Amino acid sequence: MRKSIATVSVSGTLTEKLEAVAAAGFDGVEIFENDLLACPLPPEEIRARAAGLGLGIDLYQPFRDFESVTPDVLARNLRRAEHKFRVMRRLGADLLLVCSNVSPGVVGDDELAAEQLRLLADRAAEHGIRIAYEALAWGRHVNEYLHAWRVVRMADHPNLGTCLDSFHILSRGSDPIGIEAIPGEKIFFLQLADAPLLAMDVLQWSRHHRCFPGQGNFDVAGLVRHALNAGYTGPLSLEVFNDHFRQAVTGRTARDGMRSLLALEGELERAAHPSVPTGFAFAELSGPGPLRGVLAALGFARTGTHPTKPVELWSQGGARLLLNEGPPGTDPALVAIGLDSPHPGGAVKHAESLLSPVLPRERAPEDAPLDAVAAPDGTEIFFCDDGWLADFGGPGAPVAGEVTRIDHVALTQPPHYFDEAELFYRSVLGLSPQESLDLPDPYGLLRSKAMSAPDGSVRMVVNVAQVGAGHHPWQHVALACEDVVAVARRLRARQPGLLLPIPGNYYDDLEARHEIDPELRELGVLYDRDGDGEFLHLYTVTVGRVFFEFVQRIGGYQGYGAGNAPIRLAVQHVSPARGA
């Protein structure tokens, strides 16, 4: 289907927006009026620039507070409309978005609204222009999409149809099944936006917290499916008001918007996702100097060295970690994740189809053919079968120890990439998101969202640190084990300074809420439980940017001990990092 985006959805000047939108592969744009008014170029030149970039101007918007008004106001509104029509002809746009009236003095009279919209459509027709009437979720009288359709139907004019907006429909909890009662030819335009579920005024929700489909909690695909069933054949157009998007790099946001529409198309086609991973092949860390001793203390053993690259393989149980030299003078960091994939080639092609190109890599002829794409924070994501182990002499004999596998990895994103990261892991890897959490940090907040494969074999946690005492891009690798208490005993006996010290006040409160083994306090083991099971975990101190976590899941526990995260954050701020 034709893909479009409103210029308000990305940052920059109008010309910068057009260039970024075209580069992302869109077919058209909605010109938001403020972008045109602030542009020094005349409408004719904007039209020429868009055409030169291969973009159509699919919609001009918005025209506000027109219908259900007194005769004197109507006269003024028609004068405004005539000016808009002349501007649109210069732009080469033939569809105008008219929002339902929000003025305090508007009359609640559908017949009057229909009569005045019919008059507007008559005037528009003289200029070869059509009118798309949209119900704003906060409209004074018309705030439901089926109400807007009733008014359009009453007006009965060929140049008047309706515009459906997923945010305005879904934010009110309206059932989109009613879309199928609207003739497809009378749905003149379809605007798409997702949003997180927030308990707030709908106008503020709309103006600041919309996001691209797949980044929020709305069933945007279901709504689009209803529109297609009704016979809609126009563009799928993104209209997103978001404070972070307005500050982000224009081209990056435009590409993310296109990725959301491509993923949406795949969902509409109900295509099987070709790249849902089945486990962690490895986590790759740079800066081996300070990490070698830490891994040895944690029970890992070096089991191989790459023949052509300065990379070592460290193993324990089913967990494998790679250590590479990394750039000189940089702190240890988590730089890549290898995912077990049943079809690595198909996974790579799927990632490329969603605008995640394969990263260039130096590869010797004898090296395993591994391909990687970049996650939004720059972490390399590899799609693997067992062939990669041949670079290190094969799987070798298993290294016995408490660790059984990698349970999850947590990556701290740059501030404006949280929504992009969710869409990446959701669409490119097929992971399902859990609820977004805001966790208190002594100097701000940590925004966190966990994402996982259906069977829990791969878990990723995406974080954004919003702190006032400097940015702490901490990353961590969580290692699953059968007995966290045994791990803690061993490490406390042999490496007492390696584990993060947990305050006694935490255990005083914990013991008031749960009956726990007193040894947890002595060992620094944290505890959580839910209706499905229990969770034991402990942390190491930070090494550069990285720390490790040991986790033990008991019963059906699927969480991450989020209630303990504020304790961990507070202690990390005051505990010196190794190798920093």
Side-chain angles (χ1 to χ4, degrees), residues 413-431:
Q413 308 296 304
H416 302 315
Y417 296 170
F418 188 86
D419 291 327
E420 182 183 349
E422 176 178 352
L423 181 60
F424 173 86
Y425 290 112
R426 190 174 189 169
S427 62
V428 175
L429 301 185
L431 304 184

Side-chain angles (χ1 to χ4, degrees), residues 253-317:
T253 305
R255 286 194 301 274
D256 204 36
M258 176 55 73
R259 178 183 291 132
S260 77
L261 288 182
L262 293 170
L264 177 64
E265 283 189 328
E267 191 172 350
L268 290 170
E269 295 167 0
R270 301 185 185 276
H273 199 291
S275 56
V276 177
T278 58
F280 287 100
F282 60 83
E284 183 172 350
L285 304 152
S286 65
L291 285 170
R292 286 194 184 99
V294 170
L295 291 185
L298 298 182
F300 283 81
R302 187 170 63 185
T303 55
T305 301
H306 197 282
T308 64
K309 297 181 175 69
V311 180
E312 303 167 356
L313 172 63
W314 289 67
S315 305
Q316 183 180 178

Side-chain angles (χ1 to χ4, degrees), residues 39-84:
C39 181
L41 302 178
E44 293 84 357
E45 190 163 342
I46 293 299
R47 175 180 185 173
R49 290 223 180 172
L53 292 167
L55 294 172
I57 298 178
D58 293 332
L59 183 76
Y60 187 66
Q61 65 126 325
F63 190 57
R64 303 184 188 277
D65 298 335
F66 174 79
E67 81 289 5
S68 301
V69 296
T70 58
D72 57 325
V73 176
L74 176 63
R76 293 197 297 270
N77 287 346
L78 288 172
R79 285 197 297 273
R80 281 196 298 129
E82 288 290 348
H83 170 72
K84 306 296 184 194

Side-chain angles (χ1 to χ4, degrees), residues 135-455:
L136 296 180
W138 53 91
R140 177 64 59 175
H141 295 291
V142 178
N143 47 42
E144 294 275 0
Y145 76 98
L146 287 176
H147 191 173
W149 162 236
R150 289 197 302 272
V151 173
V152 168
R153 187 174 55 193
M154 290 172 64
D156 191 22
H157 194 288
N159 282 53
L160 178 65
T162 189
C163 173
L164 300 176
D165 183 305
S166 64
F167 179 85
H168 292 301
I169 295 171
L170 299 176
S171 66
R172 292 186 61 87
S174 301
D175 189 342
I177 186 66
I179 293 172
E180 298 193 24
I182 305 173
E185 68 272 11
K186 296 301 285 185
I187 304 174
F188 281 5
F189 209 70
L190 181 59
Q191 293 177 318
L192 303 178
D194 206 337
L197 296 179
L198 300 173
M200 66 186 308
D201 173 76
V202 68
L203 177 59
Q204 296 303 311
W205 189 12
S206 172
R207 288 286 178 259
H208 302 284
H209 299 285
R210 296 195 198 193
C211 52
F212 292 135
Q215 296 176 331
N217 299 108
F218 290 163
D219 182 11
V220 179
L223 183 144
V224 174
R225 194 171 285 113
H226 289 309
L228 297 179
N229 290 343
Y232 176 72
T233 58
L236 301 180
S237 188
L238 300 171
E239 188 201 34
V240 173
F241 299 86
N242 185 293
D243 295 343
H244 291 307
F245 290 9
R246 291 187 183 99
Q247 302 169 37
V249 177
T250 309
R252 186 170 189 138
T253 305
R255 286 194 301 274
D256 204 36
M258 176 55 73
R259 178 183 291 132
S260 77
L261 288 182
L262 293 170
L264 177 64
E265 283 189 328
E267 191 172 350
L268 290 170
E269 295 167 0
R270 301 185 185 276
H273 199 291
S275 56
V276 177
T278 58
F280 287 100
F282 60 83
E284 183 172 350
L285 304 152
S286 65
L291 285 170
R292 286 194 184 99
V294 170
L295 291 185
L298 298 182
F300 283 81
R302 187 170 63 185
T303 55
T305 301
H306 197 282
T308 64
K309 297 181 175 69
V311 180
E312 303 167 356
L313 172 63
W314 289 67
S315 305
Q316 183 180 178
R320 297 184 175 94
L321 302 176
L322 300 182
L323 298 187
N324 70 46
E325 289 295 336
T330 58
D331 287 334
L334 176 60
V335 295
I337 298 166
L339 297 174
D340 292 323
S341 175
H343 306 290
V348 169
K349 290 180 180 178
H350 178 70
E352 290 181 304
S353 74
L354 292 171
L355 308 183
S356 296
V358 172
L359 295 171
R361 297 182 64 237
E362 293 184 5
R363 179 184 295 147
E366 63 272 21
D367 290 351
L370 279 180
D371 287 320
V373 299
D377 68 340
T379 303
E380 296 184 2
I381 306 295
F382 287 86
F383 301 101
C384 309
D385 55 23
D386 289 340
W388 72 274
L389 285 167
D391 286 347
F392 298 90
V399 177
E402 299 104 342
V403 172
T404 57
R405 61 185 177 85
I406 296 176
D407 182 89
H408 66 273
V409 296
L411 302 170
T412 300
Q413 308 296 304
H416 302 315
Y417 296 170
F418 188 86
D419 291 327
E420 182 183 349
E422 176 178 352
L423 181 60
F424 173 86
Y425 290 112
R426 190 174 189 169
S427 62
V428 175
L429 301 185
L431 304 184
S432 300
Q434 297 181 12
E435 181 183 0
S436 179
L437 301 175
D438 288 330
L439 305 172
D441 179 284
Y443 301 100
L445 286 173
L446 182 77
R447 187 180 176 198
S448 182
K449 177 168 286 191
M451 310 189 74
S452 63
D455 62 356

Side-chain angles (χ1 to χ4, degrees), residues 495-526:
Q495 297 283 337
L498 184 58
L499 297 182
L500 200 68
I502 306 301
N505 292 332
Y506 165 78
Y507 293 100
D508 292 342
D509 179 72
L510 183 63
E511 290 167 354
R513 293 182 289 115
H514 304 294
E515 292 185 6
I516 62 167
D517 187 333
E519 191 178 18
L520 299 188
R521 179 194 291 262
E522 299 171 15
L523 297 173
V525 175
L526 297 99

